Structures are given as C-alpha cells and as structure tokens.
Amino acid sequence: MFTGIIETIGQLTDLKSENGNIHFTLRSVISTELKIDQSVSHNGVCLTVVSLNGGHHVVTAIEETLLKSNLGSLKVGDFINLERCMQMNGRLDGHIVQGHVDQTAKCTLVKQLAGSWEYTFQYDAALGNVTVEKGSICINGISLTVVNSQQNSFSVAIIPYTFEHTNMQYLKEGDTVNLEFDIIGKYVARLIGRS
C-alpha cells in the first residue's frame, strides 16, 4: 500500500529481458536503504526488490505488468518515480494507492501557467474507469487531484514542488503514463454496474 507521495526519482541504469520478463536496475538515493523482498512503487507499479548492488537495486516486471503499464517502453537513462510502502503509524498525505496500474494514458497537452503546470491526459474509457472533478488519480505513482474531468480525458494541475521532485518535469505531449484510479471510485462504479 502506498500514498502517492513520491520519495525520490531513480534513474534506470540497465535492463535485461528474460523469458518475457524485464529486470530493471535503478540508481537512487534510497537504493542503499532498501531490502531484498521489499515492495517499492516504480512509476506507480508495485515491484519487489530482488537484488541490491552498490547503490543500485533491481526489480523484475512480468509480462502482465509490462502489458498494463509504461514500464515496457522505458529505456536506460529514464527517470522513474519511487515510493516505499507506507507505514501504518504515519499520516496518509496522498490517497490510498495500491500500486496496481489500471491502464495507461497519453499526455495530450502540457501547459505552463503562472506558477504551475497543467497536464491533460486521454485514456480508454471503454475499460470502465472514470475520473471525477476534484477526485484522486494516481499518475506514474503520484497522488494528484483531477480537474476538468471528461468522458475519456482529464487534467491535473502541478505545483512547482511536485514538478521539481517527480518525473513530471520530463513528461512531454505524446508520452505514456500509468494510471491507477481511486479505489473507492472503482468499488462504487462496480456496485452501480451491478444494480
């Protein structure tokens, strides 16, 4: 379980394919603090640390994860949002994030405003996911608030701190991001669909 409050950005230093899986090696300021078998969110995807080596950590994504996320399109040098699992004795500063990506979305607009940025994303609404105005959305592991919710698109506003401390600063129009929709909204949508 995560909060969507990014701890740091890691840089991808190596990738290895093996039987449909990809092993990702990353360097970050928290890599030396991690333990093998620990769950860490990578761009919003909960992955298990499988190896540690001199300031680097290795995680493995299976084919199912690669198909439902943007991890399969990553390349060496890319920057990835990282968050360790939340501690149950602390504040929940973001929202409840499971680290289970529902689908990807395409960034269709990046607009720099006076003191902030607005990003617009388009996603396939046929998969049954929805956003609501002022509701929560997790983009590449970042807990954000939805503005301008439409049938198959939405926007988010980014403050300078979030821009500087996440990989939003590298995001361009046409890029693909991971989406995890609000868990409470997903349950409500499922219940309404059954009535």
Side-chain angles (χ1 to χ4, degrees), residues 117-121 135 137 139 144-148 154-158 168:
W117 291 260
E118 185 176 304
Y119 292 78
T120 301
F121 300 92
I137 187 76
I139 301 174
L144 296 167
T145 301
V146 172
V147 296
N148 193 23
F154 65 92
S155 300
V156 293
I158 304 294
M168 293 299 282

Side-chain angles (χ1 to χ4, degrees), residues 7 19 21 57 86 88 94 108 122 127 158 162:
E7 281 189 74
N19 300 325
N21 301 334
H57 70 275
M86 75 175 189
M88 296 304 285
T108 57
Q122 186 169 8
L127 296 178
I158 304 294
T162 303

